[in-house]
Structures are given as C-alpha cells and as structure tokens.
Amino acid sequence: MIYSLYIINKAGGLVYQRDFAEQLEKLSSNDYLVLAGTFHGVHAITSKISPVPSSSGIEVLEAETFKLICTQTLTGTKFLLVTDPQHQNVEVLQKKVYDLYSNFVMKNPFHTPEMPIRSDQFDAGLTKLISEA
Amino acid sequence: MTIHNLYIFDRHCECIYFQKWSHQRPSSMASVNATSTTTSSKTGGLLNSTSRMQSAAIPGNNMSLEEEAKLVYGVVLSLRNFVRKLSGRQDGFISYKTSAYRLHYYETPTGLKFIINSDPYTESLRPVLRQIYVQLYVEFVVKNALMRFDNTRWTIGSSTVHDIPIAGDDDAEAAERQETQQIPAGYISNELFRVAVDRFIRSLSVFE
C-alpha cells in the first residue's frame, strides 16, 4: 500500500507532496517543507559516514509503521515513496512515477524547473497509477 | 555479510563507545586482538586501545572519529525526529540502507543510543543491539561499582589504569599518557565491556 509521494528538488526544496492514504500523520505544509529539507541534508551526510568507501545516500528508511524508498535521478531530484513496511517491488512503481514526471512535468512548457509542480495531468496520472498498484 | 562498526551515544550526544571490525585481513586482525588482550593485563590495555582508535578511520576518509561520531549522531537524531513526525509514534526508526551499508538503531528508554553498521543485506540487528544493552552494558557498565554516572565517559576506569606503573617508562611515554588523559570520543577504558562486546559480535552468524 502506498502512503504518500514526495518530490524534492536538487536544492532540498519540496516541490510536490501528496498523500494517498490516511496512515501517516497530517502535517502542515510548512512541516513538510522542513522534513524535506531535513531529508535532503541527511541524504548527503549518510554517504559521508559510510564505513566502506563510495556509498550512495540513504535509499531505504525503515520504521515500525512505514518504509520510505528514495530514488535520486541523475539531475539530483529525489523521489520519496512512503509505503507500508511489507511493500515489495517499489522500483517498478518508482519508474512509472518517473515516467509520469517526465511526461507531464518536464515536458510541460509552462513548468519552471525546481519550482512546485502544478499539473492536473500529473495528479490524474498518479491517482490512476496508485489505484492500480 | 559483515558487521562494520558499533557506536554508543549517551543522552548528552556524547559518543561513549566506538568499535570497528576489520574484515580485510581476518587472520592478522585476530592475532592483533589476541596480543592486545594479553598485553592489556600489563599496560591496562590503554595504549593498545588508543592505537586501535587511530586505526579506526575509514579508508579514503580523513575525518576524525570525533567529527564522524557527531555526523552519525546528527543523522540518527534527524531521522528519529523525521519518523516521529510522520508516524506520530515514539520509537519508530529502525534502520536505513544505502548502496554500501545499513545502519541499525536502538534507543533505550533512558536515551542511550546503540548504532551498528552492517552490509546492506543483513536483516534487522535491533535484537542484537538490545542484547548488547541488556546483557553487556547493564552487566559490565551499569553494575560496575566504580562507574561515575555524572560523567558517562568511564573516567574512573582510565584513572585507575594510569596509576599502574609501566616498566621501561620514559618521558615520551609519560607525555603520551598525559595526553590520553584528555579522553577522546569513543574512548572507553572499560576493557571487560570492550572484550565482551567484541566476543559477542564475533559470535554472531551475520559476522564473517
């Protein structure tokens, strides 16, 4: 089950946030911005404190009530998917989310890069994708 | 599967324990450990521990242990608060994984934080951390009558070690021991605890 999706730009700003289920706490939009910034910083540090050389940043965060999967694109945008702790095959879903992002956000001539995403088609595509998953 | 290192932080965000396990040369590593435990009876294991601390640096990383410990603490505390905020529960954060390692986290009700780094494919080591707390920390640290709890850095242990005269003591060595009086991060002279943790971790099936 997918709980929510966050998209963080390369500077650590939250550009998209959407909940698909009620399991997580509802926070104010300011809190979500703070959390995104925190995660961005932690992601950078986790590759520095690795006990073995050349580690990536945080990829999966496990908590008792949820699991957070982070994929970073080559341009530095981070897609965070929050799922239930037992969820499998998130990679497939991540790829589909990225497809939607490329099609309806990046190809949108009115979209300003690194700015919050406002696209009805992206929203609709996500709703369809998550309901099928 | 491997276990890389173990940190223990007190609730004042002080790194009170650090131990690293090297997997490159297991045979020579074992012999180093064997000599350190035999010589520790003579020198109190103090100088041995310091040399072990210096060799603890990550290859290709020139951060001091103190700086590294601060970063680890910062990451863990941020993630703990992150999880608390999202899930609304007190102790939700279990572990995180990168492409090269996995960090496991356990916090006691008193605010002690146990952190272990393993390879990314190890299953949850939270029971192991709990066992270190219950069976080793409580036994060898909390029940140690010489422990001073206003300062959890095991100062009492190091001062008794310093009182032991060492044969062939020259000025350089004395100066060196004066320096070690300033206890660096992760520095614990409670040798019994260190040995017990080492033995326990090495006995685990995930340790290879």
Side-chain angles (χ1 to χ4, degrees):
Chain A
M1 188 170 179
I2 310 296
Y3 292 166
S4 47
L5 168 74
Y6 307 85
I7 302 177
I8 302 174
N9 69 15
K10 64 182 174 201
L14 185 69
V15 291
Y16 191 81
Q17 187 274 326
R18 190 155 159 212
D19 285 336
F20 302 102
E22 303 293 311
Q23 266 79 0
L24 298 177
E25 296 279 303
K26 282 265 173 271
L27 302 175
S28 71
S29 51
N30 199 38
D31 281 342
Y32 283 122
L33 282 170
V34 172
L35 285 186
T38 309
F39 190 87
H40 183 76
V42 166
H43 187 274
I45 301 172
T46 47
S47 65
K48 296 267 178 256
I49 58 171
S50 167
V52 281
S54 66
S55 169
S56 73
I58 178 167
E59 283 178 346
V60 181
L61 168 70
E62 276 178 68
E64 267 166 28
T65 46
F66 66 85
K67 191 163 89 171
L68 185 149
I69 298 96
C70 168
T71 40
Q72 192 173 21
T73 66
L74 291 175
T75 49
T77 309
K78 284 192 262 298
F79 288 77
L80 311 188
L81 264 183
V82 186
T83 70
D84 62 290
Q86 283 81 38
H87 199 89
Q88 302 293 322
N89 292 331
V90 192
E91 291 77 14
V92 184
L93 198 71
Q94 291 272 26
K95 202 179 166 301
K96 285 182 182 160
V97 172
Y98 189 57
D99 280 351
L100 286 175
Y101 175 79
S102 341
N103 282 332
F104 298 125
V105 179
M106 294 320 285
K107 289 181 190 171
N108 177 358
F110 300 106
H111 173 71
T112 325
E114 313 300 326
M115 290 306 277
I117 297 164
R118 292 180 211 290
S119 160
D120 289 342
Q121 273 184 296
F122 183 58
D123 281 343
L126 274 179
T127 312
K128 189 158 169 284
L129 179 67
I130 301 298
S131 61
E132 282 168 0
Chain B
M1 291 209 260
T2 52
I3 286 175
H4 297 300
N5 50 28
L6 169 74
Y7 301 84
I8 304 175
F9 292 92
D10 69 2
R11 63 204 162 85
H12 313 294
C13 85
E14 207 83 67
C15 179
I16 56 171
Y17 185 86
F18 174 80
Q19 188 160 6
K20 182 188 162 86
W21 288 273
S22 168
H23 294 273
Q24 272 76 45
R25 287 157 285 133
S27 54
S28 67
M29 189 62 198
S31 68
V32 164
N33 248 329
T35 51
S36 82
T37 38
T38 48
T39 50
S40 68
S41 52
K42 280 178 257 161
T43 65
L46 215 126
L47 300 172
N48 288 298
S49 310
T50 18
S51 62
R52 220 182 298 165
M53 299 313 302
Q54 279 157 355
S55 65
I58 300 162
N61 184 346
N62 43 22
M63 234 188 307
S64 77
L65 176 65
E66 196 135 0
E67 283 172 63
E68 190 192 307
K70 276 181 198 161
L71 286 181
V72 171
Y73 187 84
V75 163
V76 159
L77 204 76
S78 304
L79 285 178
R80 187 189 68 154
N81 292 341
F82 183 95
V83 170
R84 269 188 194 182
K85 203 107 193 215
L86 270 186
S87 70
R89 286 170 62 151
Q90 279 302 298
D91 54 344
F93 174 41
I94 298 171
S95 74
Y96 76 75
K97 195 166 92 172
T98 75
S99 64
Y101 70 102
R102 182 170 173 184
L103 180 144
H104 309 258
Y105 176 73
Y106 172 69
E107 185 176 345
T108 71
T110 49
L112 274 169
K113 292 166 186 70
F114 289 74
I115 292 156
I116 206 162
N117 281 320
S118 70
D119 72 303
Y121 311 106
T122 310
E123 73 278 22
S124 176
L125 289 177
R126 194 176 246 209
V128 169
L129 291 175
R130 210 186 118 76
Q131 243 174 311
I132 291 176
Y133 172 59
V134 173
Q135 293 177 359
L136 305 176
Y137 185 85
V138 171
E139 285 302 318
F140 296 125
V141 179
V142 177
K143 290 187 182 172
N144 181 353
L146 295 175
M147 272 287 295
R148 263 173 43 205
F149 274 95
D150 52 323
N151 182 352
T152 33
R153 279 186 156 196
W154 280 275
T155 44
I156 195 80
S158 65
S159 65
T160 48
V161 165
H162 279 295
D163 293 340
I164 300 170
I166 301 168
D169 199 1
D170 60 1
D171 285 342
E173 263 184 22
E176 198 182 342
R177 281 188 294 130
Q178 277 297 314
E179 272 172 40
T180 53
Q181 209 107 41
Q182 303 285 325
I183 305 158
Y187 183 83
I188 284 163
S189 54
N190 190 330
E191 199 68 24
L192 196 57
F193 178 62
R194 194 172 275 279
V195 168
V197 168
D198 188 59
R199 194 174 301 150
F200 176 64
I201 295 291
R202 281 172 194 279
S203 73
L204 294 174
S205 61
V206 293
F207 186 91
E208 272 169 25

